[in-house]
Amino acid sequence: MRALLAILLLVSTSAWSQALPSWNDGTARQNIVEFVEAVTTEGGKDFVAPADRIAVFDNDGTLWSEQPLYFQFLFMLEQVKAAAPKHPEWKDNAAFKALVAKDRKALAKLGMKPVLELLGVANSGMTVGEYDRTIRDWLATARHPKFDRPYTDLTFQPMRELLDYLRENGFKTFIVSGGSVEFMRPWAEKAYGIPPEQVIGSQQEVKFEMKAGKPVLRRGPKFAFIDDGPGKPVGIYRHIGKRPIAAFGNSDGDLQMLQFTAAGEGPRLALLVHHDDAEREFAYDRASHIGKLDKAWDEAVAKGWTVVSMKSDWKKIYAFDQ
Amino acid sequence: MRALLAILLLVSTSAWSQALPSWNDGTARQNIVEFVEAVTTEGGKDFVAPADRIAVFDNDGTLWSEQPLYFQFLFMLEQVKAAAPKHPEWKDNAAFKALVAKDRKALAKLGMKPVLELLGVANSGMTVGEYDRTIRDWLATARHPKFDRPYTDLTFQPMRELLDYLRENGFKTFIVSGGSVEFMRPWAEKAYGIPPEQVIGSQQEVKFEMKAGKPVLRRGPKFAFIDDGPGKPVGIYRHIGKRPIAAFGNSDGDLQMLQFTAAGEGPRLALLVHHDDAEREFAYDRASHIGKLDKAWDEAVAKGWTVVSMKSDWKKIYAFDQ
């Protein structure tokens, strides 16, 4: 019996040291490991039952890159361009003009809502299957301007390891993104190990109808739910119905999700990814039009949340980095 | 190796024969077992990968009783009565009058929407935590008029076994109910093994706010989503993002969910529970004001869906039955 325990201990110790291999051994990695050890130690004062080990992740800028423009905006640009001939009224639409001009400053000033509304009108009338195909087709062919690779290559290797590490420790992992659920579901399972039913995002209206005896879900022009900023805790409540014990973000759009998570009783992990690596990725924060990190940074400092420096905390950014 | 296989075979055979012990060996049980064997047989033509083994269950009348009135309506009656002094305008509200008079005919005619709207106004302004407590308090004390037991005792034992059986075979099980998510989440995990994040239902508006430096979710008066009838496939799409391969219901409110499930390619199980046991539970179908089974029954006959007779297919209804 004692020999068996010794072996188990050995196995689990070696598992710990193998966890998070792309993370340097700094404060961020230590905070993560200490938190996970605390909530998984049975009999410990901070133990959390597996059913309550809920972890929520922002997507853009937290799990994959978001520069020079949210990748969904680049997809939307194609969609909106394709639909433009049918919508002469867009000529005077501020979001349309900013999108076509790729005017990041104007897009950031407008915010997610009017841009999503434009996309809503562009794909309105499609069945959910037709819409899904337009996304898969785009993802299969489009390439990132800086890295000349498919966008789905641009997920952060250390965050993928973090997702695995949390799940190995009994966590259930969710994406909570301002983007549309449909844009993430086709690849989130392969990239992050997160199945479609654990992806929370903005939601366009969808209607059930019978067409020639067959049930069909057809997209309407309006958004039913915007999962950004104060919408994120609402999305979490509606979809999960529990307060997470760990939340991961990178911008002011994640502030309320982090506040909501951190305000629960017991041990909490609130973490921000800081984009400070212009060479391997991009460097931006308070002054950025995309993924602005300003208020959330101040709050992180004031509350002692974990801030990850991509430059010094991560050995590599992407899986393809040497 | 052969000995090991023989043992595994023995174990799995005995597991099969132990499955669904409260089900009589009729067509309904056979259809269920054949379907599950078909989709779990690796290499078979009907094999379905575990990730796609999604099963959706209506709640009222499918997993627990719903007579003499949806249990949530009985809870709402208390809520609405408590709030009535603050709402003199309700005096002329048809849903309010029907609810207080427990007028089932009028309530059925009005449908779920105006009754839910009344509830929305009644609990508007509560935080989600306060609202949760009113539900837990009611469930802990209220008793069913016919059985004189807590409502949560009135779950169907054969359906609980079916949920277990499906999960043992790699299925992920969801509730898809016209009722409010908040009314089911506090007890669905214990009663059905379904965690809060797998409960889909009608959703009242909720808003994030900071109150004395603390983040709070506060209920608004309006419903953001009604998960009934044609709303059910929409709720499934929004929450799960996949078409289920098995759906279980008992009334016309489940018709579109069953149609949507059955219309997918490959093996499908669409099942209706028929309440035909006046002695052990209740007997009602086409003419009932609550849980009306009319159009869905016709469609089940036309399409060859499975119809369960509670009287002849189930050895017991509730766990407490002898």
Side-chain angles (χ1 to χ4, degrees):
Chain A
M1 188 61 180
R2 217 175 262 189
L4 184 67
L5 280 177
I7 290 168
L8 284 175
L9 207 66
L10 205 72
V11 170
S12 87
T13 310
S14 93
W16 285 120
S17 65
Q18 278 166 21
L20 309 173
S22 302
W23 290 70
N24 285 315
D25 197 14
T27 311
R29 186 182 184 282
Q30 272 170 32
N31 287 355
I32 293 167
V33 172
E34 276 169 22
F35 168 76
V36 169
E37 284 179 354
V39 300
T40 55
T41 301
E42 278 189 69
K45 72 170 175 48
D46 287 334
F47 179 74
V48 174
D52 293 323
R53 292 182 203 155
I54 305 287
V56 289
F57 288 80
D58 168 56
N59 186 41
D60 296 316
T62 300
L63 293 179
W64 75 347
S65 294
E66 61 183 353
Q67 297 285 2
L69 210 57
Y70 299 124
F71 301 166
Q72 186 177 348
F73 277 11
L74 297 168
F75 160 71
M76 286 157 73
L77 178 60
E78 298 303 314
Q79 287 266 308
V80 166
K81 269 187 191 164
K86 281 190 241 160
H87 297 280
E89 76 278 11
W90 284 351
K91 252 194 341 205
D92 305 317
N93 181 301
F96 178 71
K97 287 193 280 189
L99 206 57
V100 173
K102 293 189 191 176
D103 182 343
R104 286 188 277 164
K105 199 170 164 182
L107 284 169
K109 209 169 171 185
L110 287 162
M112 206 76 164
K113 214 180 160 193
V115 188
L116 287 179
E117 280 168 359
L118 209 61
L119 178 75
V121 174
N123 70 54
S124 173
M126 284 188 192
T127 66
V128 299
E130 287 161 358
Y131 185 56
D132 181 58
R133 271 192 296 280
T134 65
I135 293 166
R136 287 175 196 266
D137 288 350
W138 185 82
L139 286 168
T141 54
R143 293 179 87 86
H144 189 274
K146 176 168 175 176
F147 298 101
D148 192 27
R149 284 176 173 271
Y151 288 97
T152 46
D153 278 7
L154 302 180
T155 57
F156 302 140
Q157 177 63 18
M159 295 305 282
R160 294 170 65 169
E161 293 166 6
L162 177 56
L163 285 161
D164 285 339
Y165 174 62
L166 290 172
R167 285 190 296 257
E168 281 159 15
N169 282 284
F171 279 77
K172 200 161 183 176
T173 52
F174 292 82
I175 289 174
V176 180
S177 167
S180 301
V181 280
E182 290 90 349
F183 190 70
M184 297 174 280
R185 281 175 170 165
W187 54 275
E189 184 141 32
K190 199 177 154 204
Y192 306 134
I194 297 180
E197 64 269 25
Q198 284 159 231
V199 178
I200 304 170
S202 295
Q203 295 263 6
Q204 206 168 319
E205 273 180 2
V206 155
K207 263 204 161 169
F208 176 92
E209 61 179 58
M210 293 299 284
K211 194 191 167 189
K214 282 229 158 199
V216 159
L217 295 177
R218 199 176 293 286
R219 302 179 68 77
K222 287 188 183 160
F223 266 75
F225 182 61
I226 302 288
D227 189 55
D228 202 25
K232 289 199 175 194
V234 174
I236 290 168
Y237 174 73
R238 287 168 65 157
H239 193 108
I240 309 177
K242 281 178 190 170
R243 194 192 296 257
I245 63 167
F248 305 85
N250 78 298
S251 77
D252 285 1
D254 304 313
L255 175 60
Q256 290 85 356
M257 173 172 84
L258 290 158
Q259 288 174 323
F260 179 66
T261 301
E265 278 170 40
R268 305 281 147 168
L269 181 62
L271 183 150
L272 279 171
V273 173
H274 184 207
H275 292 260
D276 57 358
D277 193 332
E279 200 182 315
R280 295 188 300 175
E281 203 239 5
F282 299 93
Y284 59 97
D285 42 55
R286 292 194 197 273
S288 178
H289 299 305
I290 296 285
K292 178 181 188 145
L293 174 60
D294 182 34
K295 282 183 195 161
W297 198 0
D298 291 339
E299 184 119 350
V301 172
K303 297 278 173 72
W305 296 346
T306 299
V307 180
V308 169
S309 157
M310 291 175 72
K311 196 169 180 173
S312 56
D313 282 316
W314 290 358
K315 288 180 190 157
K316 50 166 74 178
I317 307 282
Y318 305 117
F320 57 79
D321 283 341
Q322 292 308 313
Chain B
M1 186 63 180
R2 216 175 261 188
L4 184 67
L5 279 177
I7 289 166
L8 284 175
L9 207 68
L10 205 72
V11 170
S12 88
T13 310
S14 92
W16 285 120
S17 66
Q18 280 166 20
L20 308 173
S22 301
W23 290 71
N24 286 313
D25 197 12
T27 312
R29 186 182 183 283
Q30 271 170 33
N31 288 354
I32 293 167
V33 172
E34 277 168 22
F35 167 77
V36 169
E37 285 179 353
V39 301
T40 55
T41 301
E42 277 189 69
K45 71 171 175 50
D46 288 334
F47 179 74
V48 174
D52 294 322
R53 292 182 203 155
I54 304 286
V56 288
F57 289 80
D58 167 56
N59 186 41
D60 297 316
T62 300
L63 293 179
W64 73 347
S65 294
E66 62 183 353
Q67 297 285 3
L69 210 57
Y70 299 123
F71 301 166
Q72 186 178 348
F73 276 12
L74 296 168
F75 160 72
M76 285 156 73
L77 179 58
E78 299 303 314
Q79 286 266 308
V80 166
K81 268 187 190 164
K86 279 189 241 162
H87 297 280
E89 75 279 11
W90 283 352
K91 252 194 342 205
D92 305 316
N93 180 300
F96 178 70
K97 287 193 280 188
L99 206 56
V100 173
K102 292 188 193 178
D103 182 342
R104 286 189 276 164
K105 200 170 164 180
L107 285 169
K109 211 170 170 182
L110 287 162
M112 205 78 162
K113 213 180 158 192
V115 188
L116 287 180
E117 280 168 357
L118 209 60
L119 178 74
V121 174
N123 70 55
S124 173
M126 285 187 191
T127 66
V128 300
E130 287 163 357
Y131 184 56
D132 181 59
R133 271 192 296 281
T134 67
I135 293 166
R136 288 176 196 266
D137 288 349
W138 185 82
L139 286 168
T141 54
R143 294 179 86 86
H144 189 275
K146 177 169 173 175
F147 297 102
D148 192 26
R149 283 176 174 271
Y151 287 97
T152 46
D153 278 7
L154 303 180
T155 57
F156 302 141
Q157 178 62 20
M159 296 304 283
R160 294 170 64 169
E161 293 166 6
L162 177 55
L163 285 161
D164 285 339
Y165 174 63
L166 290 172
R167 286 191 295 259
E168 281 159 16
N169 282 284
F171 280 77
K172 200 161 182 175
T173 52
F174 292 83
I175 290 174
V176 181
S177 167
S180 301
V181 279
E182 289 91 349
F183 191 70
M184 298 174 280
R185 281 175 169 166
W187 54 276
E189 185 140 30
K190 198 178 155 203
Y192 306 134
I194 297 180
E197 64 269 26
Q198 283 159 231
V199 177
I200 304 170
S202 295
Q203 294 262 7
Q204 205 167 321
E205 274 179 2
V206 155
K207 265 204 160 168
F208 176 91
E209 61 178 59
M210 292 300 282
K211 195 191 164 188
K214 281 229 155 198
V216 158
L217 295 176
R218 199 177 293 285
R219 304 179 67 77
K222 286 188 183 160
F223 265 76
F225 182 62
I226 302 288
D227 189 55
D228 202 26
K232 289 199 175 192
V234 174
I236 290 167
Y237 174 73
R238 287 168 63 157
H239 193 109
I240 310 177
K242 281 180 190 171
R243 195 192 295 258
I245 63 167
F248 304 86
N250 78 298
S251 77
D252 285 0
D254 304 312
L255 175 59
Q256 290 84 356
M257 173 173 83
L258 291 158
Q259 288 174 323
F260 179 67
T261 301
E265 278 170 40
R268 303 282 147 168
L269 181 62
L271 183 150
L272 279 170
V273 173
H274 183 205
H275 292 260
D276 58 357
D277 193 331
E279 201 182 312
R280 294 189 299 176
E281 203 241 4
F282 298 94
Y284 58 97
D285 43 55
R286 291 193 198 275
S288 178
H289 299 304
I290 297 286
K292 178 179 187 149
L293 175 60
D294 183 33
K295 282 183 195 161
W297 198 359
D298 292 339
E299 184 120 348
V301 172
K303 298 276 173 73
W305 296 346
T306 299
V307 179
V308 170
S309 158
M310 290 175 72
K311 196 170 181 173
S312 56
D313 281 316
W314 289 357
K315 288 180 190 158
K316 50 166 74 178
I317 307 284
Y318 305 117
F320 59 77
D321 283 342
Q322 292 308 313

